[in-house]
Structure formats: C-alpha cells, structure tokens
Amino acid sequence: MVNRTDYLDKIEIDNKDNLSDSTVLIRAFDDMSNGFVNNSLVNGSTILFRNASEMIKTNTKYSYGTHGTPTTNDLCAAISMLERSNETIITCSGLMALTISFLCILKPGDHALAVDFVYYPLKRFCKLFLTRFNIHVDFFDPRNEYSLKTLFRTNTKLVHLESPCSNTFEIIDIYAICKYIKQRSNKCIISMDNSWATPLIYKPITQGVDISICALTKYPAGCSDVIIGSISTTKELSLTFNNVRGLIGTTSNGYNCLLILKSLKTTTIRLYYHHNSVIKINTYLNLSCHVDYVFSPLQLRSPDHQLWKRDYKLSNGLISFILKKNSLENCKKFLNNLKIFGLGWSWGGYKSLAAIADIKHRHFKTNNGPIIRLQIGFEDINDLINDLESSFQHLN
Ligand SMILES: *Cc1c(COP(=O)(O)O)cnc(C)c1O
C-alpha cells in the first residue's frame, strides 16, 4: 500500500522532511496533470487488464476495488503521513476499525486489556462477541496505575488505550504506559483510539503505540456526513493487517474518502476554533450555579491538565458536566429546553450537540448519575451560552 515516504516523494522540494503536516497535506496532492487543486474521484469495482497474463499477475497496482483505488490510496497515504505509520487501512466505520484491530491480534485463549472508560460499543463487542471465541478482555482503571499492572497476565496479547477517555476525558500517559508494557512483555501489542485528538494533534505511534485508530467520522469529516474509520500500523504489523484486510474485505467508497481528503485540509483550523469556544464554555459552566463539576482537560484544576499541555496543547469541541441537582429527569429537562444545541449522538461536525452520556457500564465510577456531554460547534458563542443559560433557568 502507500506510506509516508511515498507521500513525501510526490513533493519536489529540498528538506521536505522539515515541512509541517499542514503544508504537506495541502501541497502533496496538487495534480499538475490536469491542474485542479483537489484530489480526483475514482469510484470503481472492476479494473480492466490489457491481456490475460496481466490479469493473473498478483502484483498489479490495481486489481479490484476492495484492494484499493487511486482515491482510497490517497486517503491511506494522507493518514499514514499524519500518523507516522507504515501503513493505513480504511474501514467502513470507526467502530469497525476498533473491532478489526481486536480480531487481527487476538486468537482463542488470548487475554486483552482495555481502559474501562473506553468507547462503549467496543466494550459491548468484547463482552458479546469476543467471548464466543474464548477471548477474555479485562478493563483497567485509567486513574490508578496499579490497575493495569495487576490485571496484566502472561497471555495478555493486546492492551487497548483510549485517551482522552470517552465522555469524561481522563488522559493516560501513553508514553509511560507503552514503555511499561513493552518491558513487561515483548509479545503484547498496544492499540490506541486516537479519535479525540485526530492524528493532526497527536501521533500515538511516535510514543510507542503499535496500532493507531481514528474514527474519521468525527473531526476529520467535520460535517457529520460520512461514516468511516482508519487503522494505522507500524511496519511489523503491516503484513498482518493487510492480510486480514483482504480476508475481511473492508474498504470505503471513493466518495467518502474524497470527502475526508477535502476536510483534512481544514481540520486543524477547525480544531483551533473548537478549542477557543470550549475555553469560553468552560468558563461559563464553571461560574454557573447549576453546575456541580466540569470535565475538560483544558481547565487548570483538572488532574489531566499537565499531561494535556504536554501531549495535546489543543482541545477539540467536547466538554461534559454534572448538574448540581443531578438526576436523569433534570438532564432530560435541560436537554429538552435547548433551542440551538441539537440533541444527537456523535461529534466533530459544525453543529453544537448535547447528549446524556451513558457511563453505567463503567466498573470504576467517577461519579453517580448521568453526565451531560456537549459538542461545541460553530454557531456564535454568545448564542450558545444564552441557549445554555435559558435552559438552566427552566430547572428552577
Ligand atoms: C464515535 C467514536 C468511534 C466510532 O466511530 P464511528 O465511525 O461512529 O463508528 C470510535 N471511537 C470513539 C472514541 C468515538 O467517539
């Protein structure tokens, strides 16, 4: 497939290794054969061969749509360049990127560990699907470093990390945890869900992670109009993942890939805007007499603030909080009175959204009762704050 080096090969500039990602992303795909700025769209299943001998060759560049098209390969190259991975494969959703990674690494009898505050559908997959194959997954507490250390077994083949964690945004010291795991076992593979940060902000593979996964559906898509995921791996794992990709037949269509390629060029500037809006919403929520606690690594008093500053420096548009008079009834009332925030799952788009986050599945509880999660989009910040304020007033 295509990796970062192939990507940089497209640029005829000296010292291109020093170019920043945003420059490479914009410069590398200039198509000077026809002069258009954007990537071209190839949608296709069948590829025509000139003759029968060409047809039965196994090393042709293109053989069938599932094995890659110019457009899907362009996206794989872009993500590999950003992740600093050897290779990237595209999946039909972010969830499928997670589940395929587990299926790729684990065999019957194996043990795996995942962070307890993980994206919930993955936990469901572990409990309802992997158990059929005698694969057992334990969940460790991200707030207690001994939790992973005591749960680690001699047959632990995979440790799955997600940082910041879903809904409450606890940050894991990825570098330190990877170092510990690799010392403890040279057979254990480390995967990480990098959807919160996107590979534009954080590059897990440079910190010791073997498999970096991104729900491109979120900030890379940016417009809530595509479902798609990516798995990026180190050189050692490329062949394994490529084989499984062929066996399972995962891909996405050219149009979806093109939408991501287009939106990737503006992801960083969108994240800056989200970041600045979240700072204002954080200040507002902390001053509100209706709010008990705010979850965001941006705030100075967050136990994750130092790690966030070291590893991320930028926030996305997510922030969660607990109501002072917390109950499911009050959360529902608060959501029902919002006029500008939409009620909807997912995040990463231009629209501000509110949801009641489900944390009932967690073994290690951070708090009792429901949490309200906000995705701060691109509406005017004062209109958003007024919307929250008038909804809080209905709680009295
Ligand atoms: C949304 C999400 C996913 C799944 O992405 P889809 O494309 O919606 O399947 C995976 N991980 C995290 C952390 C997510 O928030």
Side-chain angles (χ1 to χ4, degrees):
M1 295 281 286
V2 217
N3 61 30
R4 178 176 151 83
T5 325
D6 299 329
Y7 202 103
L8 288 174
D9 279 349
K10 295 182 181 218
I11 308 180
E12 293 146 16
I13 299 178
D14 295 336
N15 299 327
K16 54 197 171 190
D17 283 337
N18 298 332
L19 292 175
S20 82
D21 284 353
S22 48
T23 308
V24 176
L25 204 51
I26 288 170
R27 175 64 180 78
F29 282 121
D30 286 357
D31 180 357
M32 293 318 290
S33 59
N34 62 27
F36 284 93
V37 163
N38 284 304
N39 299 73
S40 56
L41 171 63
V42 178
N43 258 333
S45 52
T46 299
I47 283 106
L48 291 174
F49 303 97
R50 276 173 231 285
N51 55 52
S53 351
E54 217 178 76
M55 189 174 194
I56 57 175
K57 263 201 237 159
T58 50
N59 60 349
T60 48
K61 186 166 182 200
Y62 300 111
S63 56
Y64 188 63
T66 31
H67 307 309
T69 70
T71 312
T72 57
N73 285 359
D74 278 355
L75 180 59
C76 291
I79 301 296
S80 290
M81 187 279 291
L82 295 173
E83 293 272 13
R84 306 292 188 266
S85 67
N86 184 252
E87 179 151 338
T88 293
I89 67 177
I90 296 298
T91 57
C92 71
S93 67
L95 177 58
M96 197 184 199
L98 293 167
T99 56
I100 286 186
S101 299
F102 274 58
L103 291 174
C104 238
I105 301 300
L106 298 167
K107 291 193 299 295
D110 283 347
H111 176 251
L113 283 172
V115 61
D116 189 36
F117 304 170
V118 76
Y119 178 64
Y120 176 59
L122 178 66
K123 200 179 246 185
R124 210 168 44 200
F125 169 80
C126 293
K127 292 191 168 170
L128 300 179
F129 195 85
L130 289 182
T131 44
R132 289 193 209 169
F133 307 101
N134 188 28
I135 295 167
H136 184 76
V137 185
D138 279 317
F139 297 90
F140 69 90
D141 182 356
R143 281 279 187 248
N144 175 0
E145 63 172 304
Y146 296 104
S147 180
L148 174 132
K149 294 180 180 175
T150 37
L151 288 166
F152 202 94
R153 300 190 200 162
T154 45
N155 65 337
T156 304
K157 286 285 159 54
L158 178 71
V159 174
H160 178 71
L161 308 169
E162 183 182 327
S163 180
C165 295
S166 276
N167 298 318
T168 43
F169 319 121
E170 291 79 4
I171 294 183
I172 297 172
D173 189 339
I174 300 296
Y175 180 78
I177 231 172
C178 288
K179 209 167 140 195
Y180 171 81
I181 294 166
K182 295 288 171 185
Q183 271 169 0
R184 183 112 181 226
S185 158
N186 57 8
K187 290 199 193 71
C188 183
I189 301 294
I190 304 164
S191 61
M192 173 171 171
D193 188 328
N194 195 30
S195 304
W196 186 95
T198 83
L200 285 146
I201 300 186
Y202 192 68
K203 301 182 191 310
I205 289 178
T206 66
Q207 304 302 306
V209 166
D210 303 297
I211 305 164
S212 178
I213 293 154
C214 187
L216 299 176
T217 311
K218 306 285 169 58
Y219 291 101
C223 291
S224 314
D225 55 352
V226 200
I227 293 188
I228 183 168
S230 63
I231 309 171
S232 301
T233 60
T234 57
K235 193 163 184 204
E236 290 70 31
L237 291 175
S238 283
L239 190 62
T240 313
F241 273 78
N242 232 335
N243 288 341
V244 171
R245 181 190 58 76
L247 291 170
I248 288 186
T250 180
T251 183
S252 186
N253 68 50
Y255 187 60
N256 283 351
C257 295
L258 192 76
L259 287 175
I260 302 296
L261 281 161
K262 180 157 78 78
S263 295
L264 271 178
K265 289 161 185 154
T266 58
T267 305
T268 310
I269 59 164
R270 284 185 281 109
L271 286 168
Y272 273 106
Y273 195 94
H274 287 297
H275 172 96
N276 287 327
S277 296
V278 163
I279 289 178
K280 292 179 185 140
I281 297 287
N282 177 49
T283 309
Y284 165 75
L285 290 174
N286 273 300
L287 291 172
S288 167
C289 59
H290 300 277
V291 173
D292 183 48
Y293 189 79
V294 180
F295 297 93
S296 169
L298 268 175
Q299 44 188 355
L300 279 168
R301 66 185 173 124
S302 158
D304 304 297
H305 187 72
Q306 287 309 322
L307 274 178
W308 171 77
K309 227 162 93 180
R310 188 192 75 181
D311 290 349
Y312 299 91
K313 297 178 185 68
L314 201 63
S315 171
N316 63 18
L318 291 171
I319 187 163
S320 300
F321 65 94
I322 304 177
L323 287 173
K324 203 152 250 169
K325 292 181 194 157
N326 200 20
S327 67
L328 186 59
E329 258 337 284
N330 269 350
C331 288
K332 279 159 71 181
K333 202 164 165 190
F334 177 77
L335 258 61
N336 286 339
N337 284 303
L338 291 167
K339 299 282 184 288
I340 293 176
F341 280 84
L343 308 189
W345 298 117
S346 201
W347 35 265
Y350 45 76
K351 187 165 176 64
S352 293
L353 297 170
I356 300 175
D358 183 8
I359 56 161
K360 286 194 291 292
H361 62 87
R362 293 181 176 186
H363 303 124
F364 304 97
K365 298 270 185 254
T366 35
N367 64 289
N368 291 316
I371 289 175
I372 295 173
R373 184 186 74 199
L374 302 176
Q375 131 87 10
I376 310 303
F378 299 147
E379 300 89 343
D380 182 86
I381 190 72
N382 294 320
D383 292 341
L384 291 174
I385 288 175
N386 289 338
D387 197 27
L388 295 173
E389 183 62 30
S390 86
S391 200
F392 280 133
Q393 295 311 322
H394 282 89
L395 291 180
N396 288 329

